[in-house]
């Protein structure tokens, strides 16, 4: 075990039968290593609790061994995907030039990194996943509220990414077969080979995640550099064909940097933050395997904002080259790769798209709902069962229909979801850092009637803070006539001015309300039954 410089290894890794006393009378059920990481003493984990199973229990110190490279590789693998590539295109379409687009993406990822690191802290320290961390603030039963919201979002993203990946494979293979596939009979309006690519891609992802988190770690370790090399190869290829980069880099912003820019910048910033607001909640699902805080802090800092910014810049450069070569900018990397004039290039592009999409999808959109669904019924659903349920739900939501309407995809998926997830993040950060000062009672996170049981398993103050933050964050959601699902004046018209800042409004308001309610509750004598050690 790695307890830090000069620390002695502990003998706390073995598991004793439940009938044996976990520790001497009066001793704490958990031990604290020299570097601050915590684990339960042998026999202290309530194995028979209906809120516990092997996938949700704290990771022993001996098994927390992800290092800086593992976390950086995780982010490189997740950031390098087709939707990330096209983020800059959406901002340019709003009137930004490439500098403004890259700046917006960079700023968003620096901002979202902060809650990522704050919620990620509990992972290496306690070895617990996101839904178990949420029990401290929402209660043992109440944690299912944020967990199921996060799971629903992940299932939707899993289906969308799987459909996009299946489409990419189909387009490239159709090019290899010289367009023969596009002439095949159709099912539901799409050629049957497209459905075949979708199904095979779906099976491949579930097969990888079914092997567990160690298989995911090993996959991400080699997938990250492979995808990065693939993107650079695409840049070199288009630059060679273009004889230099096209005129896109020279095109001025239609917004400028004055009064017209900022009303577009802030909503766009919230949308870019919403892109990774999901992971800012469930990052403990990964950091729980970290060998220390330094590994998760440096790994995420080196992996997220730098990678997303570089990838956005790379996409702009490649697209500018495509404009010089083909007379128009091609923002879709699959469409651009399909223009390769040799089979080897197409197959290489196919493999890159495959690895890139699998890399982000199983890490960002399968791991979380697998734990979240296991938290719903720990004795019936384990991690693998949760992953399979995620795969099924990701199909039955008809992702090919969900992304047919850009307004639904952008305004509902990124806007509303980002606001709600920001609200949950505010509560988690407030509880862990401001209310509890990072001190948790591990055993009570799994034990009914313990300090996190609150009222029948629900912390009503967290629910109230979530309701207030959620209403403020998404209550003003609005759409232009015929451009989205919301009324033009907003769901709640007085809140319309807040809608473009949903994530920030949700996080800040929920954080303030939760701290106020918990402080008032403590003064009134509410709260847990015991002090954490």
């Amino acid at each position: 075990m790695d307890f830090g410089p000069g620390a002695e290894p502990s003998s706390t890794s073995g598991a004793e039968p439940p009938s044996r006393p976990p520790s001497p009378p009066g001793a704490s059920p958990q031990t604290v290593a020299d570097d601050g990481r915590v684990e339960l003493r042998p026999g202290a984990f309530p194995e028979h609790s209906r809120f516990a199973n092997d996938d949700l229990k704290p990771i022993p110190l001996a098994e927390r061994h992800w290092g800086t490279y593992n976390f950086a590789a995780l982010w490189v693998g997740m950031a390098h995907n087709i939707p990330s590539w096209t983020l800059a295109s959406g901002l340019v379409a709003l009137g930004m030039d490439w500098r403004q687009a890259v700046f917006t993406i960079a700023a968003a990822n620096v901002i979202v990194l902060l809650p990522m690191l704050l919620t990620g802290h509990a992972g290496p320290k306690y070895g617990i996943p996101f839904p178990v961390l949420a029990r401290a603030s929402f209660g043992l039963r109440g944690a299912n509220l944020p967990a199921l919201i996060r799971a629903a979002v992940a299932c939707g993203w899993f289906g969308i990414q799987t459909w996009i990946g299946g489409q990419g494979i189909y387009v490239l293979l159709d090019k290899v077969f010289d367009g023969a596939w596009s002439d095949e009979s159709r099912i539901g309006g799409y050629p049957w080979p497209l459905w075949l690519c979708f199904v095979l891609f779906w099976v491949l992802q579930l097969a990888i995640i079914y092997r567990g988190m160690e298989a995911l770690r090993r996959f991400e370790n080699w997938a990250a550099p492979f995808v990065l090399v693939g993107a650079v190869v695409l840049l070199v290829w288009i630059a060679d064909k273009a004889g230099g980069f096209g005129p896109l880099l020279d095109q001025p912003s239609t917004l400028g940097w004055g009064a017209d820019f900022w009303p577009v910048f802030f909503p766009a910033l919230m949308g870019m933050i919403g892109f990774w607001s999901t992971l800012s909640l469930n990052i403990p699902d990964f950091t729980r395997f970290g060998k220390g805080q330094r590994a998760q802090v440096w790994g995420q800092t080196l992996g997220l904002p730098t990678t997303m910014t570089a990838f956005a810049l790379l996409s702009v450069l490649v697209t500018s080259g495509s404009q010089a070569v083909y007379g128009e900018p091609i923002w879709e990397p699959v469409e651009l790769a399909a223009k390769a004039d040799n089979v080897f290039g197409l197959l290489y592009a196919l493999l890159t798209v495959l690895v890139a999409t699998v890399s982000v999808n199983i890490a960002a959109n399968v791991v979380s709902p697998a734990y979240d669904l296991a938290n719903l019924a720990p004795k019936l659903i384990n991690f693998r069962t949760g992953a399979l349920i995620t795969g099924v739900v990701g199909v039955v939501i008809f992702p090919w229909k969900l992304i047919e309407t850009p307004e639904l995809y952008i305004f509902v998926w990124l806007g509303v979801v980002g606001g709600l997830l920001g609200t949950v993040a505010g509560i988690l950060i407030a509880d862990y850092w401001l209310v509890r000062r990072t001190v948790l009672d591990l055993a009570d996170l799994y034990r009914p009637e313990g300090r996190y049981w609150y009222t029948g398993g629900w912390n009503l103050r967290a629910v109230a803070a979530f309701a207030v933050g959620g209403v403020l964050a998404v209550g003003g959601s609005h759409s232009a006539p015929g451009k989205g699902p919301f009324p033009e004046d907003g769901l709640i018209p007085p809140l319309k001015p807040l809608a473009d800042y949903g994530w920030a409004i949700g996080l800040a308001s929920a954080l303030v309300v939760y701290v106020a309610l918990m402080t008032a509750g403590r003064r009134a004598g509410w709260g847990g039954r015991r002090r954490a050690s």
Side-chain angles (χ1 to χ4, degrees):
M1 301 180 202
D2 180 13
F3 288 148
E8 294 295 327
S10 168
S11 60
T12 60
S13 59
E16 296 182 6
S19 59
R20 295 175 59 183
S23 55
S28 169
Q30 60 192 40
T31 61
V32 182
D34 288 349
D35 62 359
R37 292 183 300 160
V38 178
E39 72 175 349
L40 290 173
R41 293 183 184 275
F45 182 71
E47 301 275 359
H48 301 291
S49 168
R50 65 182 184 275
F51 295 97
N53 67 20
D54 287 341
D55 295 307
L56 297 177
K57 71 188 299 184
I59 300 295
L61 286 178
E63 298 176 21
R64 301 178 204 173
H65 50 69
W66 286 33
T68 299
Y69 175 78
N70 298 128
F71 289 114
L74 176 73
W75 274 113
V76 172
M78 288 196 295
H80 291 171
N81 59 82
I82 296 173
S84 292
W85 182 277
T86 56
L87 281 180
S89 65
L91 297 180
V92 172
L94 292 175
M96 295 185 184
D97 63 19
W98 70 273
R99 298 175 187 84
Q100 292 170 328
V102 172
F103 166 71
T104 303
I105 292 171
N109 283 279
V110 169
I111 292 171
V112 81
L113 176 66
L114 180 59
M116 201 87 67
L117 296 178
L118 292 176
T119 54
H121 184 278
K125 183 170 183 177
Y126 294 101
I128 54 176
F130 156 65
V132 175
L133 174 62
R135 293 175 180 180
S137 52
F138 282 85
L140 269 70
R141 286 175 172 161
N144 286 316
L145 172 62
L148 289 180
I149 291 174
R150 174 65 184 96
V153 174
C155 289
W157 270 117
F158 174 79
I160 290 171
Q161 289 273 17
T162 302
W163 180 253
I164 290 173
Q167 281 184 317
I169 296 169
Y170 166 76
V171 168
L172 293 174
L173 285 178
D174 185 53
K175 179 73 173 181
V176 171
F177 293 119
D178 200 23
W181 274 15
S182 58
D183 296 329
E184 296 289 345
S185 58
R186 294 177 173 262
I187 300 175
Y190 297 98
W192 70 261
L194 173 56
W195 292 108
L196 177 63
C197 292
F198 173 66
V199 171
L200 292 178
F201 190 49
W202 179 83
V203 171
L204 172 64
Q205 295 173 98
L206 292 185
I208 294 174
I209 198 63
Y210 195 77
R211 295 178 64 85
M213 290 295 289
E214 272 304 291
L216 172 62
R217 182 180 70 90
R218 291 192 294 269
F219 178 82
E220 295 289 349
N221 281 349
W222 70 264
F226 180 87
V227 175
L228 183 58
V229 170
V232 173
V233 168
L234 188 60
L235 174 63
V236 172
W237 170 71
I238 196 66
D240 179 67
K241 292 181 72 69
F245 296 110
L248 189 76
L249 296 180
D250 298 325
Q251 291 184 355
S253 167
T254 61
L255 302 173
W257 288 94
D260 292 334
F261 173 70
W262 301 110
V264 175
F265 169 76
F266 286 108
L269 183 71
M270 292 299 106
M272 297 304 103
I273 290 173
F275 193 79
W276 287 124
S277 63
T278 51
L279 267 294
S280 67
L281 293 186
N282 74 285
I283 196 64
D285 294 343
F286 302 96
T287 61
R288 68 191 298 228
F289 297 95
K291 61 183 179 182
Q293 295 299 339
R294 180 184 296 270
Q296 74 103 0
V297 169
W298 279 106
Q300 293 202 78
T301 302
L302 294 173
L304 172 57
T306 55
T307 297
M308 286 294 292
T309 303
F311 208 56
L313 179 59
L314 193 63
S315 71
V316 170
L317 293 176
V318 171
T319 303
S320 69
S322 71
Q323 178 165 325
V325 174
Y326 301 107
E328 61 179 359
I330 302 174
W331 286 101
E332 286 288 346
V334 172
E335 182 183 349
L336 180 60
K339 293 184 176 293
D341 50 10
N342 63 81
V343 173
F344 175 79
L346 288 168
L347 292 178
Y348 183 83
L350 172 66
L351 184 59
T352 302
V353 168
L354 182 70
V355 172
T357 309
V358 170
S359 181
V360 63
N361 218 14
I362 60 177
N365 302 319
V366 178
V367 172
S368 174
Y371 283 125
D372 297 337
L373 293 169
N375 188 72
L376 183 63
K379 295 304 180 184
L380 299 176
I381 304 173
N382 59 21
F383 179 82
R384 288 182 171 86
T385 306
L388 293 177
I389 293 173
T390 300
V392 173
V393 174
V395 173
V396 299
I397 64 167
F398 301 152
W400 49 92
K401 294 290 186 182
L402 187 61
I403 61 175
E404 274 184 352
T405 306
E407 290 78 16
L408 179 64
Y409 177 69
I410 294 172
F411 295 109
V412 175
W413 209 248
L414 291 182
V416 174
V417 163
L420 292 178
L421 295 182
T423 300
V424 175
I427 294 172
L428 293 184
I429 293 169
D431 182 80
Y432 183 70
W433 286 96
L434 302 179
V435 174
R436 306 190 190 281
R437 305 301 174 95
T438 77
V439 178
L440 299 176
D441 186 323
L442 270 179
D444 271 10
L445 288 170
Y446 303 87
R447 188 159 42 211
E449 307 303 332
R451 64 185 295 118
Y452 308 117
W453 187 243
Y454 299 107
T455 304
W458 288 80
N459 183 1
L460 300 182
R461 294 175 289 285
V463 176
F466 174 78
V468 172
V471 169
L472 292 177
V474 305
S477 298
H478 58 90
S479 304
K483 296 294 185 179
F486 303 117
E488 183 178 0
D489 294 331
L491 293 172
I492 304 176
L495 298 181
K496 183 178 178 180
L498 303 180
D500 291 337
Y501 312 94
W503 181 84
I505 294 293
L507 188 149
S509 59
L511 185 150
V512 171
V513 171
Y514 182 80
V515 170
L517 291 177
M518 291 297 287
T519 301
R522 284 187 170 183
R523 290 174 179 170
W526 305 342
R529 295 168 171 76
R530 294 177 294 159
R531 293 180 60 86
S533 59

